[in-house]
């Protein structure tokens, strides 16, 4: 009885600590969202875009486009806002707080079966850019998704793309989604703290969090999906992830503005394909490197293969995403998804 009480007390203390860490991260995200990031001169058409973590390398084209001056060159006054998870960026979009969201393409399928018409207008990537890491303590027994049963696995947020991909990897390897516990721990310091203090056994995250975990020797890589090859191995095909997606009605009513946004992003993707990680890192805000420019450049280098160079949806990509979501999501599994309404190539074709 005494031991049971002790374990319960320790668990409660761990949850309280994690809640405090997560609250701090959310407060920071809200502060960023309140002030935004606007390097424009206040002139031109105003557009608000919510990003599921501005400092995440998977969403790097958003801030880089602004830093390169491409929004301004198109006559746009873009305000970039930030939330810690893509699912929160999705919420901001469908509630009308912003005109666009930079997040994973898979949200467009999820929203369609919920009666919301949202489409990707430019595709940044062809692989998830995600990595499943395990804590040093769990590494000996957690060696593949087959070992997810009974584990606490970190995701950025419940209903996020990291949550989706974790569930797919489990189901693909014979583990029911009810057999493990997803824990919303955000990214960056909150994710790393959860990994180190045992609040999670492992979890899915992106660079620069991955680079920091490896540098601190706080965990090990289990599954790497930062490259097209890694995506093929883990998911069975290209997996279009980070994108700019918008409500279809808004797109149809503001085609000139959408075209300018896509023009700017395609310029950035082409610029990225012609420059190295060090050059890209040098263009980003200084605080993104968290005091270690070399480590930050390495984080970018590790994730660069995920990005497209033209903003075009990769062939077969939507079908891979649909297969992944249908494997565990009963709402999508039992619904007819019209993939042609989840993305458009109209604007990237014109940008080329």
């Amino acid at each position: 009885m005494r031991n049971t009480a002790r374990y319960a007390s320790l668990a409660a203390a761990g949850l309280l600590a994690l809640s405090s860490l997560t609250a701090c991260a959310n407060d920071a995200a809200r502060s960023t969202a309140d002030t935004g990031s606007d390097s424009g001169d206040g002139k031109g058409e105003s557009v608000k875009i919510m990003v599921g973590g501005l400092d995440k390398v998977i969403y790097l084209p958003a801030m880089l486009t602004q830093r390169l001056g491409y929004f301004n060159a198109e006559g746009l006054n873009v305000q970039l806002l930030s939330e810690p998870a893509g699912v929160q960026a999705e919420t901001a979009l469908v509630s009308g707080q912003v005109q666009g969201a930079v997040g994973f393409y898979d949200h467009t399928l999820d929203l369609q079966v919920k009666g919301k018409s949202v489409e990707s207008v430019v595709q940044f990537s062809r692989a998830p850019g995600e990595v499943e890491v395990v804590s040093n303590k769990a590494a000996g027994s957690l060696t593949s998704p087959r070992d997810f049963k009974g584990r606490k696995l970190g995701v950025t947020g419940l209903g996020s793309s990291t949550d989706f991909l974790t569930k797919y990897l489990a189901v693909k390897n014979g583990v029911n989604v009810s057999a493990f516990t997803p824990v919303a721990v955000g990214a960056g310091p909150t994710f790393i703290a959860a990994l180190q203090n045992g609040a999670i056994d492992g979890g899915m995250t992106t660079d620069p969090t991955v680079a920091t975990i490896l540098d601190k020797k706080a965990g090990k890589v289990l599954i790497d999906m930062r490259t097209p090859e890694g995506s093929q191995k883990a998911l069975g095909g290209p997996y279009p992830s980070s994108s700019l997606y918008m409500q279809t009605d808004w797109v149809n009513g503001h085609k000139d503005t959408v075209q300018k946004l896509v023009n700017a992003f395609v310029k950035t993707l082409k610029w990225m394909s012609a420059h190295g990680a060090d050059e890209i890192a040098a263009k980003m805000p200084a605080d993104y490197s968290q005091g270690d420019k070399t480590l930050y450049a390495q984080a970018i280098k590790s994730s660069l293969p995920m990005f497209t160079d033209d903003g075009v949806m990769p062939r077969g990509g939507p079908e891979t995403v649909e297969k992944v979501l249908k494997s565990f999501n009963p709402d999508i599994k039992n619904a007819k998804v019209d993939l042609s309404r989840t993305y458009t190539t109209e604007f990237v074709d014109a940008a080329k």
Side-chain angles (χ1 to χ4, degrees):
M1 291 291 290
R2 194 176 295 124
N3 283 340
T4 300
R6 178 172 174 267
Y7 293 149
S9 176
L10 286 171
L15 286 172
L16 179 61
L18 180 58
S19 296
S20 298
L21 285 166
T22 305
C24 289
N26 289 342
D27 286 345
R30 278 193 290 271
S31 175
T32 304
D34 288 342
T35 57
S37 177
D38 187 354
S39 61
D41 55 11
K43 298 177 182 178
E45 300 173 71
S46 294
V47 181
K48 290 183 179 180
I49 298 175
M50 185 66 77
V51 184
L54 262 173
D55 59 349
K56 295 177 184 177
V57 176
I58 56 172
Y59 300 139
L60 181 150
M63 179 57 75
L64 182 58
T65 301
Q66 193 166 77
R67 301 285 286 190
L68 291 171
Y70 292 159
F71 289 137
N72 285 345
E74 291 289 333
L76 297 172
N77 179 31
V78 173
Q79 187 178 19
L80 297 174
L81 310 174
S82 187
E83 285 283 8
V87 66
Q88 293 160 323
E90 169 198 297
T91 300
L93 176 69
V94 297
S95 65
Q97 298 174 45
V98 296
Q99 288 77 51
V102 168
F104 269 39
Y105 160 73
D106 54 21
H107 290 292
T108 66
L109 281 73
D110 187 48
L111 286 168
Q112 186 182 113
V113 301
K114 294 174 181 175
K116 305 289 185 182
S117 185
V118 173
E119 60 188 18
S120 165
V121 296
V122 56
Q123 196 63 46
F124 299 162
S125 58
R126 52 191 175 171
E130 302 283 354
V131 178
E132 184 73 21
V133 298
V134 295
S135 69
N136 291 327
K137 182 179 179 180
S141 56
L142 181 48
T143 61
S144 85
R146 292 188 299 274
D147 302 320
F148 280 0
K149 186 176 180 179
R151 302 291 185 169
K152 295 173 292 183
L153 300 175
V155 296
T156 52
L158 300 182
S160 67
S161 297
T162 52
D163 189 20
F164 292 163
L165 288 171
T166 301
K167 287 175 177 173
Y168 172 74
L169 291 174
V171 170
K172 180 186 177 186
N173 288 275
V175 179
N176 193 285
V177 295
S178 63
F180 67 92
T181 304
V183 183
V185 292
T190 54
F191 186 101
I192 296 169
L195 195 69
Q196 290 177 316
N197 68 24
I200 57 175
D201 299 302
M204 192 169 292
T205 190
T206 61
D207 277 314
T209 305
V210 176
T212 303
I213 289 170
L214 297 180
D215 184 63
K216 290 177 175 287
K217 296 179 171 54
K220 300 177 180 178
V221 172
L222 183 65
I223 298 170
D224 193 337
M225 297 180 285
R226 289 176 290 187
T227 66
E229 294 77 18
S231 177
Q232 180 72 41
K233 183 177 179 180
L235 306 173
Y239 197 91
S241 56
S242 53
S243 65
L244 172 66
Y245 62 86
M246 314 179 88
Q247 296 202 61
T248 301
D249 284 347
W250 198 90
V251 171
N252 290 338
H254 302 80
K255 288 198 172 187
D256 287 346
T257 302
V258 176
Q259 187 64 63
K260 292 174 183 178
L261 286 167
V262 173
N263 290 346
F265 279 125
V266 169
K267 287 178 187 175
T268 296
L269 293 167
K270 289 186 182 302
W271 188 92
M272 288 172 62
S273 71
H275 293 77
D278 289 333
E279 295 171 290
I280 295 171
K283 291 289 185 182
M284 302 301 285
D287 60 336
Y288 281 23
S289 67
Q290 298 179 18
D292 193 331
K293 294 181 180 179
T294 301
L295 186 63
Y296 182 57
Q298 179 57 49
I300 292 174
K301 184 178 181 179
S302 296
S303 294
L304 273 180
M306 71 179 283
F307 294 105
T308 69
D309 60 4
D310 55 10
V312 174
M313 176 65 73
R315 186 184 299 275
E319 289 77 12
T320 304
V321 173
E322 182 181 27
K323 177 196 70 174
V324 166
L325 296 183
K326 280 183 176 292
S327 71
F328 67 85
N329 187 324
D331 293 335
I332 294 180
K333 185 175 183 177
N334 300 319
K336 172 63 177 175
V337 178
D338 185 349
L339 292 177
S340 70
R341 295 198 294 113
T342 61
Y343 71 98
T344 176
T345 61
E346 174 185 350
F347 302 100
V348 289
D349 288 344
K352 290 188 294 184

